Amino acid sequence: MFCCCIFLAVSLLHSLCHFHVSGYDPSCTEFPVFTPSALVVKYGDPANVTCVVCQKDCSGDASGLEHAMGKVTQNGTTMFWTVDRLTEWDIFVMCYYNTDAGDHCSSTVNITIYQPPESVSISFVNHTGMMFENQLYTLQCSVQNVAPVQSLTVTFYRGNTALGHLQSNSEQKKPVNETFTLNITPSREDDGAQYWCETKLELGPAGPQRPPVVTSEKLPAIVHWWFTDSSCTEFPVFTPSALIVKYGDPANATCDACQKDCSGDGFGLEHAVGKVTGHGTTMFWTVDRLTKWDTYLICYYNTDAGDQCSSTVNITIYQPPESVSISFVNHTGMMFEEQQYTLQCSVQNVAPVQNLTVTFYRGNTALGHLQSNSEEKKPVNETFTLNTNSSREDDGAQYWCEAKLELGPAGPQRPPVVTSEKLPAIVHYGPELIGPPNPDVITVTEGDTLHLNCSFVGNPSPSYTWTVPVNSSLSDNGGILTIKSIGFEHEGQYICTVSNTVGTVTKEFNIDVQASPLIWIIAGVSAAVLFVIILCVLCCRFYKQNRKGSYNLKDVLRFPKHTALPLQNCENV
Ligand SMILES: *[C@@H]1O[C@H](CO)[C@@H](O)[C@H](O)[C@H]1NC(C)=O
Ligand SMILES: *[C@@H]1O[C@H](CO)[C@@H](O)[C@H](O)[C@H]1NC(C)=O
Ligand SMILES: *[C@@H]1O[C@H](CO)[C@@H](O)[C@H](O)[C@H]1NC(C)=O
Ligand SMILES: *[C@@H]1O[C@H](CO)[C@@H](O)[C@H](O)[C@H]1NC(C)=O
Ligand SMILES: *[C@@H]1O[C@H](CO)[C@@H](O)[C@H](O)[C@H]1NC(C)=O
Ligand SMILES: *[C@@H]1O[C@H](CO)[C@@H](O)[C@H](O)[C@H]1NC(C)=O
Ligand SMILES: *[C@@H]1O[C@H](CO)[C@@H](O)[C@H](O)[C@H]1NC(C)=O
Ligand SMILES: *[C@@H]1O[C@H](CO)[C@@H](O)[C@H](O)[C@H]1NC(C)=O
Ligand SMILES: *[C@@H]1O[C@H](CO)[C@@H](O)[C@H](O)[C@H]1NC(C)=O
Ligand SMILES: *[C@@H]1O[C@H](CO)[C@@H](O)[C@H](O)[C@H]1NC(C)=O
Ligand SMILES: *[C@@H]1O[C@H](CO)[C@@H](O)[C@H](O)[C@H]1NC(C)=O
Ligand SMILES: *[C@@H]1O[C@H](CO)[C@@H](O)[C@H](O)[C@H]1NC(C)=O
């Protein structure tokens, strides 16, 4: 029934990937069977596996085999693969036969090649020497040349106490170097304990009965503590009690380890930088340029009872801001009134940022003080923001910010201050009336000059358009309308329309023209003079006629007979 072509392929994975896929051909009625079903072999060790290609329906002779390493012997449908030294990391073994229909029926055996770590070591990250109580340190376990790292478990220990288990995420099959870290916060009880790490290759049931374990050397924990040991009768005294030093400047301090009951030579000054010179229990520490941000100084003595009495001096290293600049967040150019804008003050390379106070100003007005929450000791860049509402009064004002390092009485006498450049505020707003409002009706006398003052402020500067009664001739000078000599034709409503890019408003003037009182005076006087002239003319006529014996006028004016107007007067008229 079958003309079987049977193969045992031993090859590098990449060269035979396609066979792996065809191994699950659904038309296969059975698959080759490996014994054992999985191989876990130490790199360089011998290995063997047996494959029964097929057990039923195997008509023909098993034929054909391929292998890249090791050798294969065959007995019927059973094949036996063996290798003296397994030194190929990507190896796999595949057994298959071809059916008449041309299908591949195959199986693979998983081969795990392992290599226990060549070495395992423990250390602190970025730290040498003693530790202080309640501070954070990082332990590091370095594992070299281990495979497969996926099966590795790393356990950190303090003495016999497991502190934590770690595993790798890597899927690398070949040997790798890998570092595992764990944060610890030692307490004084840990003083004298030993840190170490253990690696274990857990290779499952097919692996070696005792999983390979490699441990690191032991790292002694020297934990210092201070201030609290009740058995100390006195503590070392530092002068000065606190150091505030500009980065890169020199610094010095003196420590008196003990003044009474100082029996032995068990005292010292622990330091990260600088040098110490001593005279008995008095020690002098000095550094030319303080350029280590995480520095410390601890002075101690050991009592006969084995207690450690120590003091520390707090060292603050500061660096004034390298630069300070101000800007608007997400905004350039003009502002509009009654809107909220965000100012941003960027401070660069300042330390310690927790002692920095940033003040925003508009002109001379402080708008707000801000501080950082960061406890970073090294220089940082930090940005402070403040919201501000714009008003038209702010137009033309200048925003700026000031960064001040407040280091207290032990700090520099004048706290370092760095200010930003000035940022002009340009606030745009619609026309707004200046000056008192107008009366409803303005009464002007004919012939007078009319000034209408339509003065508004606004940003940008507003423009004016006048709507005037018909036929009025006018001169418009911005917000001022002038009519030299006003007449009745100028009477009516004047509308001044004021606008800028933000808004438009109008203002009305109602002009009432009244005749000049001088006209009435002139008219009155003229009338009076005319009356006198008429009277005189009539009078003279009457007199002349009276001399001629005519009495016509007497009838009209009914002058009494004896009344006589002086002749001379009449003649003068
Ligand atoms: C095959 O491997 C097994 C387990 O590794 C071993 O006990 C046995 O001796 C090996 N047989 C031969 C023939 O190498
Ligand atoms: C082949 O296998 C048969 C039965 O399993 C056995 O009797 C025979 O000795 C084997 N031949 C060799 C050369 O191992
Ligand atoms: C071989 O390994 C793969 C992945 O590691 C796994 O999914 C598969 O079940 C294994 N095969 C056998 C026969 O153990
Ligand atoms: C150790 O210190 C170096 C230099 O100060 C720094 O670059 C590195 O990030 C530090 N490593 C850790 C894990 O903190
Ligand atoms: C692991 O580290 C050792 C020593 O540093 C080095 O010789 C080796 O090549 C490294 N191995 C890998 C896989 O990087
Ligand atoms: C020690 O520091 C102080 C203040 O910083 C300084 O005035 C003094 O000169 C320094 N002394 C020595 C010996 O460097
Ligand atoms: C040193 O600083 C720590 C915390 O900042 C504080 O608790 C302690 O009192 C300071 N010590 C001295 C001597 O000022
Ligand atoms: C600035 O604008 C960007 C994009 O519009 C936005 O993602 C970001 O949150 C804005 N920042 C602030 C502080 O509003
Ligand atoms: C702060 O910003 C400046 C300029 O962008 C950069 O050179 C510097 O490295 C930054 N400093 C820190 C601590 O991030
Ligand atoms: C700005 O005005 C808005 C609305 O009137 C108000 O909610 C907000 O608190 C104001 N912001 C500031 C910084 O005054
Ligand atoms: C620095 O800032 C911290 C936190 O705000 C404060 O406790 C400390 O007193 C400041 N240092 C000085 C010298 O002012
Ligand atoms: C117009 O009125 C404003 C506000 O009262 C005043 O400041 C300005 O001088 C006046 N202009 C003229 C030309 O009178």
Side-chain angles (χ1 to χ4, degrees), residues 69-339:
M69 111 175 289
K71 56 181 192 283
V72 173
T73 52
Q74 188 174 353
N75 183 354
T77 57
T78 301
M79 286 194 258
F80 183 70
W81 172 79
T82 176
V83 66
D84 291 340
R85 274 176 53 76
L86 189 48
T87 54
E88 199 64 70
W89 292 102
D90 285 331
I91 201 167
F92 85 122
V93 172
M94 182 196 280
C95 196
Y96 70 98
Y97 64 93
N98 288 341
T99 65
D100 286 339
D103 296 314
H104 286 290
C105 299
S106 67
S107 297
T108 59
V109 61
N110 283 354
I111 305 182
T112 303
I113 305 172
Y114 69 89
Q115 180 171 284
E118 196 175 286
S119 72
V120 173
S121 63
I122 192 166
S123 61
F124 284 107
V125 176
N126 278 356
H127 173 73
T128 51
M130 65 192 182
M131 296 187 285
F132 303 115
E133 193 177 30
N134 298 329
Q135 299 222 358
L136 187 71
Y137 298 91
T138 304
L139 280 173
Q140 157 175 300
C141 187
S142 299
V143 184
Q144 279 190 1
N145 283 329
V146 64
V149 69
Q150 209 174 9
S151 305
L152 190 76
T153 304
V154 172
T155 309
F156 284 90
Y157 287 90
R158 182 185 56 235
N160 294 323
T161 312
L163 302 174
H165 303 281
L166 296 169
Q167 279 188 300
S168 172
N169 294 322
S170 166
E171 298 196 348
Q172 177 61 262
K173 299 255 180 284
K174 297 186 191 177
V176 293
N177 291 343
E178 195 154 321
T179 299
F180 300 82
T181 60
L182 182 83
N183 288 338
I184 55 163
T185 309
S187 69
R188 70 183 60 177
E189 288 75 30
D190 303 341
D191 188 39
Q194 292 183 310
Y195 291 106
W196 54 286
C197 60
E198 178 192 83
T199 63
K200 188 186 266 187
L201 264 182
E202 294 185 301
L203 297 158
Q209 282 203 331
R210 305 184 63 194
V213 170
V214 182
T215 58
S216 73
E217 77 285 9
K218 303 256 157 75
L219 183 66
I222 304 163
V223 183
H224 285 249
W225 65 93
W226 53 89
F227 283 135
T228 43
D229 194 321
S230 57
S231 65
C232 294
T233 52
E234 67 167 325
F235 291 97
V237 175
F238 271 108
T239 316
S241 59
L243 282 176
I244 297 180
V245 187
K246 190 173 170 185
Y247 182 83
D249 274 3
N252 65 66
T254 303
C255 174
D256 279 316
C258 56
Q259 283 171 320
K260 36 177 190 170
D261 302 333
C262 295
S263 54
D265 48 291
F267 56 87
L269 185 59
E270 296 277 359
H271 56 288
V273 289
K275 58 177 190 285
V276 172
T277 49
H279 305 282
T281 55
T282 300
M283 288 161 280
F284 183 69
W285 170 82
T286 178
V287 64
D288 291 339
R289 272 175 53 76
L290 190 48
T291 54
K292 192 174 191 314
W293 291 103
D294 288 326
T295 200
Y296 57 85
L297 266 189
I298 292 183
C299 192
Y300 65 90
Y301 71 93
N302 295 332
T303 65
D304 287 340
D307 293 315
Q308 189 171 64
C309 303
S310 64
S311 298
T312 181
V313 61
N314 283 352
I315 305 179
T316 304
I317 304 175
Y318 70 91
Q319 180 170 286
E322 197 175 284
S323 72
V324 175
S325 63
I326 192 168
S327 60
F328 283 107
V329 175
N330 276 359
H331 174 74
T332 51
M334 64 190 185
M335 300 191 281
F336 295 99
E337 65 176 336
E338 280 153 25
Q339 293 205 6

Side-chain angles (χ1 to χ4, degrees), residues 434-436 453-455 480:
I434 50 170
N453 185 345
C454 179
S455 282
I480 309 292

Side-chain angles (χ1 to χ4, degrees), residues 321 350 355-359 371 402-407 415-418:
V350 64
N355 292 86
L356 187 75
T357 304
V358 167
T359 309
Q371 280 187 305
E402 180 189 81
K404 189 190 260 183
L405 259 186
E406 293 183 305
L407 297 159
V417 170
V418 180

Side-chain angles (χ1 to χ4, degrees), residues 32 37 52 78 94 122 128 175 216 225 253 413 473 479 486 501 527 533 553:
S37 60
V52 176
T78 301
M94 182 196 280
I122 192 166
T128 51
S216 73
W225 65 93
Q413 280 203 330
S473 69
I486 199 152
T501 52
I533 289 169
L553 199 66

